[in-house]
Amino acid sequence: EVQLQASGGGLVQAGGSLRLSCAAASGFTFDDYGIGWFRQAPGKEREGVSCISSDSGGTYYADSVKGRFTISIDAAKKTVNLQMNNLNPEDTAVYYCATVVEGDYNGCVAYEFDYWGQGTQVTVSS
């Protein structure tokens, strides 16, 4: 079973930055997987924030985070990071990382992803 560990959340003031990390469990790599970051605010549906293909390196960003967030994968394909800059209170949510086998998904949408890490809380104060 694929196990993911998300970390890096916290409390930050508006305009600040955080870096989230999604680490694959020992013995697993993201090779041939798509990886995504999703977030869910209270009372809202889980939304795709950013996704990356480990094979092509292709990325997707939600319109609300374009130009502020950057997703990346390390050379060993063991960790996927989400650099979040210029945060605003609307970014407050629980952030989750997830993964799915390449070719088994069509978009950066939660229902397409099979394996999920635990969430990490991001709170942005105004």
Side-chain angles (χ1 to χ4, degrees), residues 3 12 17 19 40 45 68 73-76 78-79 85 90-91 93 99 102 106 111-112 116-117 121 123:
Q3 293 186 329
V12 65
S17 298
R19 184 179 178 88
Q40 189 164 20
E45 292 187 356
R68 300 188 298 122
I73 187 168
D74 71 341
K78 291 283 292 181
T79 304
N85 298 327
E90 290 70 38
D91 296 316
T99 191
E102 287 282 11
N106 293 308
Y111 69 81
E112 297 266 21
W116 292 78
Q121 176 71 46
T123 303

Side-chain angles (χ1 to χ4, degrees), residues 57-124:
T59 58
Y60 162 87
Y61 295 95
D63 287 344
S64 59
V65 306
K66 281 180 181 176
R68 300 188 298 122
F69 291 11
T70 304
I71 193 169
S72 62
I73 187 168
D74 71 341
K77 298 189 177 180
K78 291 283 292 181
T79 304
V80 172
N81 297 309
L82 185 69
Q83 178 67 41
M84 307 187 297
N85 298 327
N86 194 22
L87 286 159
N88 59 61
E90 290 70 38
D91 296 316
T92 295
V94 178
Y95 284 69
Y96 300 88
C97 65
T99 191
V100 63
V101 174
E102 287 282 11
D104 284 358
Y105 71 111
N106 293 308
C108 194
V109 289
Y111 69 81
E112 297 266 21
F113 283 69
D114 294 325
Y115 307 103
W116 292 78
Q118 88 292 358
T120 185
Q121 176 71 46
V122 171
T123 303
V124 185

